[in-house]
Amino acid sequence: MFLAMRAEVEDALEEALTSLDFPTDDLGIETPPDDVDAVLASSVAYRLAGEAGMAPPQVAGTVADEIDETALTYIETVETQGPYLNFLPSEQYFAETLDTAQSDTYGQLSDRETSVVIEHTSANPTGPVHVGRARNPIVGDALARVLEYAGYDVDRHYYVNDAGRQIAVFTWAYETFEESELPEPERDAAEYEMVRYYRKGNSYLEEADDEAVEAAEAEIQTILQGLEDGDEETYERVGEVVDTVLGGMRETLERLPAEFDEFVKETRFMRDGSTDEVVDRLKELDEAVYEEDAWQLDFEDIEKNLVFLRADGTSLYTTRDLAHHEWKFDNYDEAVTVLGEDHKLQAEQLKETLELLGHDTDRLSTVHYSWVNLPEGGMSTREGTGVMLDDLLDESIDRAREEVEDRLGERIRDDELTEEDIERIAHQVGIGAVRYDVVSKQPTKGITFEWERALDFEAQSAPYVQYVHARACGILDEASAAGHEIPTGEAVDADALTEPEAEDLLRSIAAFPAVIEEAADERRPHIVATYTRDFAEAFNTFYRECPVLDADEKTRQARLALVAAAQTTIANALDAIGVAAPESM
RNA sequence: GGGCACGUAGCUCAGUCCGGACUAGAGCGUCGGACUUCUAAUCCGACGGUCGUGGGUUCGAAUCCCACCGUGCCCGCCA
């Protein structure tokens, strides 16, 4: 309803300005502060003051007079308050919100008929997922969900770096060392078992005598060359290592949950000839230079050259990524990539090169996040330093379980939680808290990992918002048990919501689709997380001030509809950022 | 050295892109209140800020521009 109302306000304002011969390039539409009753406002009068030769408040008055309120559906009146034009909502605005927000699909915007591929995580398949890179799947998955809500047709891809040196080292190490030489795995899972070979191989290369290292390097080089030459047996050897490790990583990621439609292997673009083919085209570009036996691109705006073909004639990661992105452009309308800030330069060069190859790079957007570091420094799979995501999730679930159990004695509600309920809540809250903590912050800000902070269940965290959902479900359950019907359609009576706390909640409900739209357009899922927090506040205030079940018939009906609308809104808002919405807790 | 990002209460963060009702909002912590009530993982109140610093643009700057300071990342024929 908010979106329709906003469109109406824009049209009306533009029309009024046109008929007054004022420019319409900046309508100055903004959200008014909380203590103003309007749903939207405009500060356009400031900008027009000079041209009109009047003070801003007078301009505002003139514009307001020009707007025909009777022609508006969702706006009752247009008032001025000093230089501001305030648009006050009509009864219909509230009534329609109260009805439509009860739909299970509330917040789902109309189909944009646009396909988007979102590539995220894409961590090298060398070992267990650690917290340093955990921002990627969480932000990536949340963004994918937000884009789906916003009406895009979304595919999630994990780009598998299976052609690099580290994978050749891994394959060599896996085939060379005996399990008896390795330490016990930290967990009974494929990637924890496998990473031991990788670490062993790397330390061997650092510590063994020159002759032994030379022999190992020769074997590693053979593997790399085998991949480059398209040798089937080499692909199978490497594939076994990659698929095994990836299988384990995938299970961890699914706990978040972060699932993928496709794991796209880098070697695919070597085998199908598209990397060679893109190299041929790159050589033809005006920016292509052949220096020191290697083919490079010399950009106008970027300091550093991009080498796309080594002196030995082999391709590089970015060369293959170019073929990968051309493939994305062939198959999707838009492409979004979630990358660490250490890949910024590479991403710029990629984009610039795609532009040179004649692609419309407006179709490509990149979301960067900064690494999560430990107080003592960065996390490394190779060195085995860092906090594993599995351990963080386990610990968070354990703490959530303790919280639930501690609270059992004080529970007023007599819904008798079963063991299963406790386990369900522990998972929903524990994982939700980790996820929420990550999505609610702007990804560009640095995070230093501290257990205590990561596991903080206090306000402004997932449980605070989840509790709102549980409370709403509790009321709806009681209502259902008492045989109260929840009014929909013509039966809803938004007029009966006279308390300001109830109206504020309804306004907050109405804003949800616009929040989804903004978060999707700007590729910033944290906007949805901020919204859930504000929404929870509005709900809790309403909860305190406005009893539902004990209210008189008419009020109860209206408030029940409001609670039902609040429940679907917060359930979907949490769903959009991938946080579970518990029905009780 | 160069490029990019970040710098808002003791701590963790919103707000910054698109300047306006901002005499800057939350939460944690501290202090003081509210459970015979639809679940207190809640709510209410108090204390707490030269929005890194200095200049500039503007009727108006946390928000735009410039310089500087601090922190992080990048500057490989690695990925």
Side-chain angles (χ1 to χ4, degrees):
Chain A
M1 228 29 61
F2 185 92
L3 294 173
M5 181 278 294
R6 190 178 65 194
E8 193 177 79
V9 167
E10 284 167 357
D11 287 348
L13 190 55
E14 192 167 342
E15 204 176 301
L17 294 176
T18 302
S19 66
L20 289 166
D21 270 338
F22 286 138
T24 57
D25 51 306
D26 182 0
L27 299 176
I29 304 275
E30 55 188 73
T31 310
D34 294 340
D35 56 354
V36 173
D37 280 338
V39 272
L40 276 181
S42 169
S43 60
V44 72
Y46 282 110
R47 258 139 288 157
L48 268 27
E51 180 164 333
M54 289 186 281
Q58 287 172 277
V59 179
T62 308
V63 175
D65 289 344
E66 193 62 29
I67 296 172
D68 178 15
E69 295 149 339
T70 58
L72 302 177
T73 307
Y74 299 119
I75 294 300
E76 184 68 29
T77 53
V78 182
E79 290 178 353
T80 64
Q81 189 172 335
Y84 289 94
L85 283 157
N86 285 330
F87 296 86
L88 292 122
S90 65
E91 284 171 27
Q92 194 168 343
Y93 176 72
F94 289 122
E96 286 191 26
T97 297
L98 197 50
D99 184 34
T100 59
Q102 289 186 52
S103 156
D104 287 342
T105 59
Y106 184 58
Q108 174 74 53
L109 309 186
S110 53
D111 189 356
R112 300 200 187 206
E113 295 181 355
T114 304
S115 61
V116 181
V117 54
I118 174 160
E119 177 199 330
H120 69 81
T121 308
S122 303
N124 293 333
T126 51
V129 181
H130 61 64
V131 171
R133 56 172 70 127
R135 258 177 139 166
N136 202 319
I138 293 173
V139 170
D141 187 71
L143 184 53
R145 287 161 176 273
V146 166
L147 291 173
E148 275 176 345
Y149 267 91
Y152 289 97
D153 184 10
V154 180
D155 267 5
R156 301 137 208 248
H157 287 187
Y158 185 121
Y159 186 49
V160 185
N161 305 154
D162 63 339
R165 181 186 148 82
Q166 80 275 26
I167 294 302
V169 169
F170 203 155
T171 304
W172 157 76
Y174 179 62
E175 294 170 351
T176 302
F177 299 103
E178 295 297 324
E179 179 155 25
S180 57
E181 307 174 67
L182 304 172
E184 284 295 301
E186 290 162 38
R187 242 172 217 265
D188 181 20
E191 76 278 36
Y192 290 83
E193 285 166 15
M194 292 295 285
V195 75
R196 298 177 299 161
Y197 294 95
Y198 183 61
R199 288 178 185 151
K200 175 78 179 175
N202 276 289
S203 61
Y204 180 87
L205 292 176
E206 276 174 32
E207 291 157 12
D209 58 64
D210 292 353
E211 210 172 300
V213 169
E214 211 171 290
E217 286 293 353
E219 176 60 19
I220 292 163
Q221 201 51 45
T222 304
I223 295 169
L224 280 172
Q225 199 58 50
L227 289 176
E228 194 73 33
D229 296 343
D231 176 56
E232 202 56 41
E233 194 208 326
T234 310
Y235 279 118
E236 277 172 30
R237 288 162 65 195
V238 170
E240 188 191 341
V241 172
V242 169
D243 291 343
T244 307
V245 177
L246 205 53
M249 295 170 78
R250 188 172 171 173
E251 282 183 33
T252 301
L253 294 169
E254 282 174 1
R255 298 179 69 189
L256 284 171
E259 296 186 15
F260 296 88
D261 296 293
E262 203 171 336
F263 286 78
V264 180
K265 286 185 174 172
E266 194 179 349
T267 46
R268 168 180 180 161
F269 303 101
M270 300 167 80
R271 302 175 83 171
D272 70 3
S274 59
T275 302
D276 291 341
E277 195 266 337
V278 79
V279 165
D280 290 342
R281 272 183 292 133
L282 289 170
K283 284 180 179 170
E284 299 301 316
L285 294 174
D286 291 343
E287 290 76 5
V289 292
Y290 186 74
E291 282 174 13
E292 295 176 42
D293 298 331
W295 278 96
Q296 337 193 348
L297 287 179
D298 185 1
F299 300 102
E300 200 176 321
D301 303 326
I302 304 175
E303 194 72 29
K304 185 180 165 287
N305 279 10
L306 170 68
V307 175
F308 61 88
L309 200 63
R310 291 190 182 99
D312 66 5
T314 59
S315 64
L316 292 92
Y317 172 83
T318 309
T319 323
R320 290 167 233 136
D321 205 20
L322 280 165
H324 172 216
H325 276 80
E326 289 201 315
W327 171 79
K328 285 186 185 176
F329 280 173
D330 281 346
N331 291 287
Y332 298 92
D333 297 319
E334 292 182 31
V336 179
T337 319
V338 183
L339 288 174
E341 63 178 345
D342 50 332
H343 283 67
K344 258 188 184 172
L345 178 62
Q346 185 261 328
E348 270 174 52
Q349 291 187 325
L350 178 80
K351 188 164 189 168
E352 192 68 32
T353 306
L354 287 167
E355 190 80 46
L356 294 176
L357 288 170
H359 296 285
D360 171 14
T361 53
D362 287 346
R363 295 164 64 193
L364 175 67
S365 54
T366 311
V367 175
H368 289 282
Y369 65 94
S370 75
W371 290 97
V372 177
N373 288 317
L374 294 168
E376 59 269 24
M379 304 190 195
S380 159
T381 299
R382 186 160 41 85
E383 291 163 21
T385 55
V387 174
M388 298 305 132
L389 181 57
D390 281 313
D391 294 333
L392 174 62
L393 295 178
D394 286 349
E395 181 68 23
S396 192
I397 292 166
D398 286 346
R399 292 218 196 172
R401 190 183 298 108
E402 280 170 35
E403 286 286 333
V404 184
E405 284 168 352
D406 284 353
R407 290 164 201 275
L408 278 181
E410 304 161 25
R411 271 176 74 93
I412 295 172
R413 190 172 166 79
D414 57 349
D415 55 357
E416 290 177 28
L417 295 179
T418 61
E419 278 302 315
E420 246 171 62
D421 284 325
I422 292 172
E423 207 47 39
R424 184 206 83 223
I425 295 165
H427 276 78
Q428 289 178 319
V429 170
I431 290 180
V434 170
R435 242 189 117 112
Y436 193 86
D437 187 52
V438 172
V439 273
S440 61
K441 286 175 182 132
Q442 294 191 48
T444 47
K445 303 225 179 189
I447 295 182
T448 300
F449 181 84
E450 286 164 54
W451 280 102
E452 196 187 326
R453 206 173 278 156
L455 299 174
D456 185 4
F457 294 162
E458 294 298 325
Q460 286 201 335
S461 68
Y464 174 72
V465 179
Q466 291 174 315
Y467 189 55
V468 161
H469 183 261
R471 274 182 152 176
C473 288
I475 294 173
L476 295 174
D477 276 354
E478 296 287 331
S480 160
H484 300 311
E485 294 276 323
I486 296 167
T488 55
E490 292 296 306
V492 298
D493 181 12
D495 260 5
L497 298 173
T498 50
E499 300 301 315
E501 292 82 2
E503 198 185 296
D504 284 348
L505 178 57
L506 189 49
R507 285 170 186 244
S508 197
I509 289 168
F512 180 48
V515 170
I516 289 290
E517 185 191 67
E518 189 188 0
D521 289 349
E522 299 184 14
R523 278 100 169 95
R524 296 200 304 164
H526 96 270
I527 291 175
V528 179
T530 305
Y531 169 75
T532 61
R533 202 150 62 205
D534 292 342
F535 185 91
E537 241 177 80
F539 184 87
N540 281 324
T541 308
F542 160 79
Y543 184 91
R544 178 173 51 90
E545 296 297 330
C546 304
V548 177
L549 301 173
D550 293 342
D552 64 79
E553 171 78 21
K554 189 179 167 207
T555 310
R556 187 183 62 224
Q557 294 272 309
R559 288 179 180 173
L560 268 178
L562 182 64
V563 171
Q567 186 265 319
T568 51
T569 302
I570 199 63
N572 290 351
L574 284 172
D575 183 50
I577 51 175
V579 173
E583 289 180 9
S584 67
M585 58 189 279

